[in-house]
Amino acid sequence: MIINADVIIDFSNPSNLEEILTFAQENKTAVLLCTTGYSSEDFKKIEQASKNIAIMQAGNTSIGIAVLKLLVSLAVEKIAEWDYEVIEAHHNRKTDSPSGTAEELLKLLQTDEDKDSIRFGRNPKTGKRKVGEIGVHSIRGGSIVGDHTVMFAGKDEVIEIKHRAVSQDLFASGALRLARFLKGKEPGRYYVEDAYK
Ligand SMILES: NC(=O)c1ccc[n+]([C@@H]2O[C@H](COP(=O)([O-])OP(=O)(O)OC[C@H]3O[C@@H](n4cnc5c(N)ncnc54)[C@H](OP(=O)(O)O)[C@@H]3O)[C@@H](O)[C@H]2O)c1
């Protein structure tokens, strides 16, 4: 099937990736992947496809999250020695955890990937917090649209940087903004940050 579209926007399920990439390459159409929960194999397929089409994987299309990431990067620069924890909350139908946005925040927080270990939740057997550990906690319930908090805990003081999505509409309007950016771009891999420069 041939389509005449500028950009394909996908918010669905990672299992659709191969079909979307094949279709987009056949049609030479740019792709904005807003779905989360992709595996490392999936990211290799995205990388491969970016040789033929313009492609962006946007784990969060919200402008507020783009700003939150800037604030987190600034905090990491200033208070590298503090303890970091990420807490995210989503509705009870979400299939992946932690959220794609939490994964992106973790990348910003990891100053040294070999040293900074990620701790997915804690349980009675977890034991004491290790130096350099970064905790990530996923809450699932009801119709929560999407909350992300990055906590910086130092001696005698705590900073929390929090974003709350109150309606899914913001993801749609953010995606349209990113799609307008992708329209007509040369094949390659593009990032949300590119659209806000
Ligand atoms: N990047 C962002 O800013 C952002 C924001 C919100 C969500 N997300 C991500 O987007 C994805 C969907 O989230 P959601 O909360 O919207 O989930 P959802 O409520 O389960 O919606 C997924 C939709 O995709 C449809 N779908 C799945 N496979 C399909 C296929 N092969 N053909 C046609 N339609 C298909 C589903 O249809 P049926 O109901 O008929 O199965 C459903 O309408 C998740 O990966 C989520 O993490 C990203």
Side-chain angles (χ1 to χ4, degrees), residues 48-123:
Q48 184 61 32
S50 73
K51 292 179 181 150
N52 303 317
I53 51 172
I55 191 157
M56 180 190 285
Q57 199 270 321
N60 198 307
T61 59
S62 136
I63 184 166
I65 287 289
V67 174
L68 176 114
K69 286 165 89 175
L70 292 174
L71 296 173
V72 166
S73 297
L74 179 68
V76 167
E77 241 178 72
K78 304 290 177 197
I79 44 177
E81 70 285 7
W82 289 23
D83 294 334
Y84 309 154
E85 298 276 314
V86 175
I87 305 116
E88 56 97 348
H90 284 85
H91 54 83
N92 58 17
R93 291 167 291 102
K94 187 164 179 63
T95 51
D96 56 319
S97 60
S99 67
T101 305
E103 300 267 19
E104 289 177 10
L105 292 169
L106 289 171
K107 282 188 197 139
L108 297 177
L109 294 170
Q110 275 186 299
T111 46
D112 180 348
E113 282 197 35
D114 295 332
K115 185 168 65 63
D116 302 329
S117 58
I118 307 292
R119 169 75 66 188
F120 295 101
R122 293 195 179 82
N123 61 53

Side-chain angles (χ1 to χ4, degrees), residues 21-53:
L21 293 180
T22 305
F23 184 81
Q25 288 177 96
E26 280 171 9
N27 287 277
K28 295 276 173 240
T29 307
V31 182
L32 174 61
L33 294 169
C34 305
T35 298
T36 62
Y38 291 122
S39 65
S40 47
E41 277 306 303
D42 289 336
F43 280 110
K44 282 184 199 153
K45 288 177 190 164
I46 293 170
E47 199 61 47
Q48 184 61 32
S50 73
K51 292 179 181 150
N52 303 317
I53 51 172

